[in-house]
Amino acid sequence: MYSKTMPTGFPKDFLWGGATAANQVEGAWNVDGKGLTTAEVVQKATDRKVMSMNEVTKESIQEAIDDQSDKRYPKRRGVDFYHHYKEDIKLFAEMGFKVYRLSIAWARIFPKGDETTPNEAGLKFYDDVFAECHKYGIEPLITISHYEMPLILTLTNNGWASRKTIADFTRYTEVLFKRYKGVVKYWLTFNEINASTWGFTGTGAVDSDLNVHDQMQLRYQALHHEFVASAIAVKQCHEIDPEAQIGSMLARMQTYANTPNPVDVRAAQLQDQLNLFFTDVQVRGEYPEYMNRYFVENGIELEMEPGDEQLLAEGKVDYLSFSYYMTTITSATDDVEQASGNLSMGGKNPYLKSSAWGWQIDPVGLRITLNEFWDRYRVPLFVVENGLGAEDKISDDGKIHDDYRIDYLRQHIEQMKEAVKDGVDLMGYTTWGCIDVISAGTSEMSKRYGFIYVDQDDEGNGSLKRMKKDSFDWYKKVIASNGEDLD
Ligand code: BG6
């Protein structure tokens, strides 16, 4: 007789929590020996529908190096987590977090990127942060490189465009695995590995002076170096701390065919492959065949060294994590209305509403993605980013009533639960920007995701005081009930 039963809800050890990134929260950009990072030369977008994070030129970098203030560079300020981490982690603990996803700023550990000895003050900061998490029984989940690297590596190597950067990265990762052995159980190599095909934020390479073909050539080559570096890090992690688990991280962009016309379905399939390529390499350990055709047809020639393919095969990740904010539609023709927002998001879906930034909100799509990932990869999954960016207002009663955020999160958690009932192996859920952070895409402060409000405006004015929003108490209830009480 068939004896397996259907799960009825989230597993008992489900990892509930929240996520941030060093360059968006820490501030303290020039203290305790830290070097300047690629994130800290990015200015606030002049139009919030444009991603300023990839609009970097050689001239704008020089201008940023000459400017020793944080006025025009919001990621130098963050929300001063560097000096508030005890207060912030205490608030996370009050919500009942089991896990807190954060990243390490590479330039705190290796300020110039190519030193042989790490900066002890940088390591000490993260010792203290992890100890603070453990004090409350919170497991840190660490992204090793979240949208930043030491700026000097851009100036000397053009970031990941050069193979030399692999050695700098593996020196950094070895230091981390040795120092935090037994302290950090969950690691991720690169945040949103697919961001490398979008430009500077992913590659640390300036390519604004190149034509589109040459840009893509450079980005796929840089990505190959990141794949190799990631595979080496996976191997190092397994050797140094066999108890730890290390995963990959993808910005998932589920896409649907615009119509049932097979040509639209095929166009959507290709679009989806171009999103799954990254995890195909990192989870399965090899380049998928469909990319051979894509590279030939787009004139992209990758340089690989002997041994690279073996490294990729040996550096398969233990679990797959991803960010999930939106879905798109794909058409074989260009007669479809485009979704307008600050990401290149494909066609507009008439069945979905969008955030103020044009991101199409699709909770059911999360269930679809979870099922597809589980079918395709058979490794545990982790939703490490999800959330609604919105402009929160302080009401006359002095509170922040963010019921729109509660609605968004509730609907996504409901669909995650459905996926768990479908049989998906889901490890955990960390909402994005559990405390308000500087936006990655536009460097605004006013695009907020948090359960905790931070008093700071786009220009950096404000007391930095932390305040609980309505969603704070709601999420506390969700965690306490292991996802059963969503009201
Ligand atoms: C993800 C990034 O792409 O989306 C985060 O990993 C980012 O760093 C998040 O903050 C939301 O994007 P944005 O542009 O609204 O900050």
Side-chain angles (χ1 to χ4, degrees):
M1 203 177 80
Y2 187 74
S3 62
K4 290 189 183 158
T5 53
M6 172 189 138
T8 52
F10 293 102
K12 277 204 187 62
D13 54 356
F14 192 72
L15 293 166
W16 294 98
T20 62
N23 75 88
Q24 293 169 261
V25 291
E26 283 183 5
W29 65 287
N30 56 359
V31 309
D32 295 335
K34 180 178 159 297
L36 195 61
T37 71
T38 47
E40 291 158 353
V41 301
V42 176
Q43 299 196 20
K44 186 166 95 59
T46 41
D47 172 353
R48 62 161 42 156
K49 293 247 160 110
V50 176
M51 300 280 248
S52 60
M53 68 180 187
N54 288 324
E55 300 211 316
V56 168
T57 61
K58 286 183 185 139
E59 295 69 36
S60 75
I61 289 181
Q62 192 51 52
E63 207 182 303
I65 293 171
D66 294 341
D67 186 340
Q68 284 300 304
S69 89
D70 63 13
K71 204 87 209 107
R72 293 188 300 156
Y73 303 96
K75 288 172 187 160
R76 296 182 183 184
R77 301 193 287 270
V79 292
D80 201 25
F81 175 80
Y82 197 79
H83 298 108
H84 289 74
Y85 71 90
K86 289 192 180 173
E87 178 186 351
D88 296 344
I89 292 169
K90 189 165 182 231
L91 287 165
F92 300 157
E94 196 182 324
M95 277 186 278
F97 278 23
K98 316 278 182 221
V99 65
Y100 169 38
R101 173 178 175 234
L102 67 156
S103 71
I104 292 181
W106 182 354
R108 278 198 198 285
I109 314 301
F110 286 102
K112 295 186 181 149
D114 67 351
E115 300 94 329
T116 45
T117 316
N119 172 31
E120 181 56 31
L123 290 166
K124 170 80 174 53
F125 170 65
Y126 295 106
D127 287 343
D128 295 345
V129 170
F130 302 157
E132 201 64 21
C133 289
H134 285 138
K135 183 166 129 189
Y136 299 104
I138 298 174
E139 286 301 336
L141 159 58
I142 302 305
T143 318
I144 295 171
S145 178
H146 189 127
Y147 280 179
E148 69 182 329
M149 65 197 302
L151 184 70
I152 294 189
L153 292 179
T154 294
L155 304 179
T156 54
N157 296 354
N158 207 16
W160 284 102
S162 163
R163 195 170 172 103
K164 284 193 278 184
T165 301
I166 298 176
D168 296 321
F169 186 76
T170 54
R171 219 171 29 256
Y172 163 54
T173 51
E174 190 182 349
V175 165
L176 298 188
F177 298 136
K178 288 189 171 156
R179 178 82 168 211
Y180 303 121
K181 177 178 174 161
V183 174
V184 172
K185 279 195 204 159
Y186 304 104
W187 296 94
L188 297 171
T189 53
F190 292 96
N191 181 60
E192 298 189 333
I193 181 72
N194 44 328
S196 288
T197 53
W198 308 338
F200 181 73
T201 296
T203 58
V206 181
D207 60 21
S208 47
D209 48 344
L210 301 180
N211 64 38
V212 173
H213 167 268
D214 292 356
Q215 276 180 345
M216 291 323 284
Q217 169 66 42
L218 177 147
R219 292 176 190 179
Y220 277 106
Q221 186 62 54
L223 174 70
H224 177 68
H225 298 147
E226 290 182 67
F227 280 151
V228 172
S230 176
I232 295 172
V234 169
K235 286 183 67 179
Q236 285 174 330
C237 179
H238 288 159
E239 279 159 26
I240 297 169
D241 189 357
E243 300 294 305
Q245 295 184 50
I246 183 157
S248 65
M249 198 304 201
L250 179 79
R252 177 58 175 151
M253 301 277 183
Q254 175 84 45
T255 195
Y256 309 121
N258 187 37
T259 71
N261 184 336
V263 295
D264 280 345
V265 176
R266 168 57 201 158
Q269 181 180 49
L270 175 61
Q271 191 58 36
D272 218 36
Q273 284 174 327
L274 293 177
N275 184 229
L276 295 173
F277 155 52
F278 310 86
T279 35
D280 278 355
V281 173
Q282 294 189 309
V283 181
R284 293 169 157 171
E286 59 185 0
Y287 275 69
E289 291 81 5
Y290 57 79
M291 286 310 284
N292 297 340
R293 177 165 188 175
Y294 181 82
F295 289 146
V296 167
E297 290 181 349
N298 288 281
I300 290 165
E301 289 177 23
L302 290 188
E303 272 182 35
M304 289 201 194
E305 286 198 354
D308 281 3
E309 283 179 309
Q310 192 177 338
L311 275 172
L312 295 181
E314 291 169 358
K316 288 189 245 176
V317 292
D318 303 316
Y319 66 100
L320 162 57
S321 79
F322 63 98
S323 61
Y324 181 87
Y325 293 97
M326 68 189 88
T327 58
T328 67
I329 57 173
T330 301
S331 163
T333 53
D334 55 10
D335 58 351
V336 80
E337 188 192 344
Q338 294 297 295
S340 71
N342 66 359
L343 271 180
S344 113
M345 289 179 300
K348 196 164 165 51
N349 187 332
Y351 298 97
L352 302 179
K353 293 196 178 116
S354 296
S355 79
W357 279 259
W359 296 18
Q360 304 190 89
I361 301 167
D362 182 7
V364 176
L366 178 55
R367 179 180 180 187
I368 296 170
T369 269
L370 283 164
N371 271 280
E372 287 191 358
F373 274 170
W374 178 238
D375 282 349
R376 191 178 183 101
Y377 298 120
R378 313 304 286 185
V379 294
L381 306 177
F382 204 139
V383 180
V384 293
E385 284 188 34
N386 174 234
L388 179 69
E391 267 189 275
D392 296 327
K393 294 272 174 278
I394 303 182
S395 301
D396 293 343
D397 60 5
K399 299 199 167 140
I400 299 126
H401 302 298
D402 57 342
D403 44 310
Y404 40 86
R405 179 167 296 108
I406 294 174
D407 281 349
Y408 177 103
L409 294 172
R410 178 191 295 121
Q411 290 173 37
H412 284 80
I413 294 172
E414 276 167 0
Q415 292 302 319
M416 272 192 325
K417 201 199 289 184
E418 291 305 316
V420 169
K421 291 186 190 171
D422 294 334
V424 169
D425 183 355
L426 185 60
M427 296 166 68
Y429 177 65
T430 54
T431 64
W432 175 249
C434 44
I435 182 167
D436 291 345
V437 303
I438 304 289
S439 151
T442 53
S443 289
E444 291 166 277
M445 185 67 218
S446 44
K447 186 181 189 189
R448 296 170 185 271
Y449 288 84
F451 303 115
I452 301 163
Y453 184 90
V454 179
D455 177 31
Q456 179 175 232
D457 67 14
D458 285 340
E459 273 63 53
N461 307 307
S463 64
L464 293 174
K465 190 173 153 223
R466 277 56 174 155
M467 286 165 66
K468 297 174 191 172
K469 304 180 193 174
D470 285 358
S471 55
F472 184 101
D473 289 322
W474 173 81
Y475 196 47
K476 184 175 173 178
K477 234 174 27 165
V478 171
I479 297 178
S481 64
N482 200 25
E484 290 304 314
D485 185 354
L486 300 175
D487 293 337

